[in-house]
């Protein structure tokens, strides 16, 4: 009997150790970014394409005040309401005291400096495809932005979704650094894929999710319910979005559709960001979208 009990205890201990190893938050390797020097000029472009200010400026911010990344905007979901944190250069209430490695761990792995999992309301599941140099450049630029001493607000997430350790399993199931669209045939489509799937994280809103909140990659950019509960977010696949490539690029620049309607909702911020990018970038996004396979 004692032998059986001892074996059971040993198996539980081993199982717990394996589970901890699989589910724990793993930061990036310290050496990975050691030799990189960030370019803040390119970092500004990455910052704009990634929409960092769109989510992290204060709810009432206008114009240049949007570069003060105070946080505070609320993002409702089926799992609770997530509140964007302060990611300004303040060393206490923001991220100014972080290292590049800690920043890279957060952006590409969803891991905080203290070793906790971030909720995937932060689109690190898309940013995980960013190049290391773009991460370093983004960090260099963000350190030039103003500081805010406003404390971050806690998320409004109840049990059991407030158990962050469970996010290790969620990442194991749903986080991947592989491209959704594997076959791209031109340089423009390749650039568009990087912008859509990584930096601009379009799939986070425009793709449906399963019951656990994982993206349905088989119906990539096929449209999804609005998490705020108001209507649907439209599909971007060619069988649903029948605009010409030039119309898509113009919409991303001006906010006007081919039918002379104008952009609304959170897409206002997205268009504002894309309008600051190059015409080549907007054309690349359009060509990637036109080359998408039809969703199931």
């Amino acid at each position: 009997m004692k032998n059986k009990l001892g074996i059971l205890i040993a198996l539980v201990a081993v199982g717990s150790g394996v589970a901890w190893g699989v589910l724990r938050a793993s930061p990036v390797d310290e050496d990975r970014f050691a030799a990189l020097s960030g370019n803040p000029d390119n970092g500004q472009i990455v910052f704009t394409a990634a929409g960092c200010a769109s989510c992290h400026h204060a709810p009432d911010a206008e114009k240049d005040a949007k570069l003060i990344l105070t946080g505070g905007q609320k993002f409702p979901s089926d799992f609770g309401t997530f509140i964007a944190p302060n990611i300004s250069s303040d060393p206490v209430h923001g991220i100014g005291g972080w290292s590049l490695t800690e920043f890279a761990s957060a952006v590409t792995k969803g891991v905080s400096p203290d070793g906790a999992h971030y909720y995937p309301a932060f689109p690190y599941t898309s940013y995980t495809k960013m190049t290391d140099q773009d991460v370093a450049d983004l960090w260099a630029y963000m350190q030039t932005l103003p500081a805010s001493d406003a404390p971050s607000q806690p998320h409004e997430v109840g049990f059991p979704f407030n158990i962050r350790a469970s996010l290790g399993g969620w990442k194991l199931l749903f986080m991947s650094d592989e491209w959704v669209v594997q076959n791209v045939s031109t340089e423009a489509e390749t650039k568009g894929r990087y912008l859509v799937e990584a930096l601009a994280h379009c799939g986070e809103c425009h793709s449906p999710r399963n019951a656990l909140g994982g993206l349905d990659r088989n119906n990539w950019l096929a449209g999804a319910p609005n998490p705020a509960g108001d209507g649907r977010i439209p599909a971007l696949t060619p069988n649903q979005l029948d605009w010409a490539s030039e119309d898509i690029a113009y919409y991303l620049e001006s906010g006007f559709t081919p039918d002379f309607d104008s952009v609304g909702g959170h897409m206002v911020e997205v268009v504002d960001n894309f309008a600051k990018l190059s015409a080549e970038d907007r054309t690349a996004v359009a060509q990637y979208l036109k080359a998408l396979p039809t969703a199931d």
Side-chain angles (χ1 to χ4, degrees):
M1 185 69 178
K2 290 183 179 180
N3 288 338
K4 290 182 180 179
L5 181 59
I7 292 172
L8 178 60
I9 292 172
L11 289 174
V12 170
V14 170
S16 298
V18 170
W20 180 86
V22 170
L23 302 182
R24 72 185 181 91
S26 300
V28 300
D29 293 334
E30 192 72 35
D31 295 339
R32 179 172 159 184
F33 291 84
L36 290 182
S37 177
N39 177 354
D41 292 333
N42 183 61
Q44 183 176 14
I45 297 172
V46 175
F47 176 88
T48 302
C52 304
S54 301
C55 289
H56 289 277
H57 67 64
D60 57 351
E62 297 288 343
K63 298 182 179 179
D64 289 346
K66 289 184 176 182
L67 293 178
I68 307 173
L69 307 178
T70 302
Q73 293 187 63
K74 294 188 175 184
F75 299 92
S77 76
D78 293 338
F79 308 99
T81 297
F82 299 97
I83 304 176
N86 180 338
I87 60 166
S88 76
S89 58
D90 186 272
V92 177
H93 297 289
I95 63 175
W98 291 11
S99 67
L100 170 57
T101 300
E102 289 172 332
F103 178 73
S105 294
V107 170
T108 67
K109 294 270 195 173
V111 176
S112 72
D114 61 1
H117 292 292
Y118 284 121
Y119 289 108
F122 172 24
Y124 54 79
T125 51
S126 293
Y127 295 155
T128 191
K129 301 180 184 71
M130 288 175 63
T131 67
D132 288 354
Q133 187 62 59
D134 274 357
V135 173
D137 292 348
L138 176 60
W139 176 237
Y141 173 69
M142 289 182 67
Q143 292 182 89
T144 71
L145 296 179
S148 168
D149 61 2
S152 296
Q153 302 174 44
H155 298 303
E156 298 169 356
V157 178
F159 182 83
F161 305 116
N162 59 351
I163 303 174
R164 291 192 184 235
S166 65
L167 290 169
W170 187 94
K171 289 178 180 179
L172 190 64
L173 290 172
F174 305 121
M175 185 171 174
S176 172
D177 60 3
E178 293 185 356
W179 298 110
V180 178
V181 177
Q182 295 288 326
N183 299 318
V184 287
S185 57
T186 68
E187 184 177 341
E189 289 174 18
T190 301
K191 185 172 189 177
R193 179 176 67 177
Y194 184 64
L195 285 164
V196 171
E197 295 194 22
L199 294 187
H201 55 277
C202 305
E204 301 288 337
C205 289
H206 287 274
S207 297
R209 294 177 180 270
N210 59 32
L212 295 177
L215 287 176
D216 180 359
R217 292 163 68 97
N218 291 325
N219 286 287
W220 181 244
L221 300 180
N226 188 336
D230 183 19
R232 283 185 61 85
I233 296 171
L236 302 180
T237 50
N239 62 322
Q240 295 293 324
L241 184 68
D242 59 358
W243 300 353
S245 177
E246 294 79 7
D247 292 332
I248 297 173
Y250 183 68
Y251 173 78
L252 292 174
E253 179 184 9
S254 67
F256 288 103
T257 73
D259 299 326
F260 305 104
D261 196 2
S262 59
V263 66
H266 193 68
M267 275 300 296
V268 172
E269 298 261 11
V270 176
V271 168
D272 184 58
N273 292 332
F274 268 102
K276 296 171 184 173
L277 301 181
S278 69
E280 181 184 6
D281 287 340
R282 293 188 292 271
T283 297
V285 168
Q287 292 191 18
Y288 166 84
L289 293 179
K290 296 301 289 184
L292 283 174
T294 300
D296 294 340

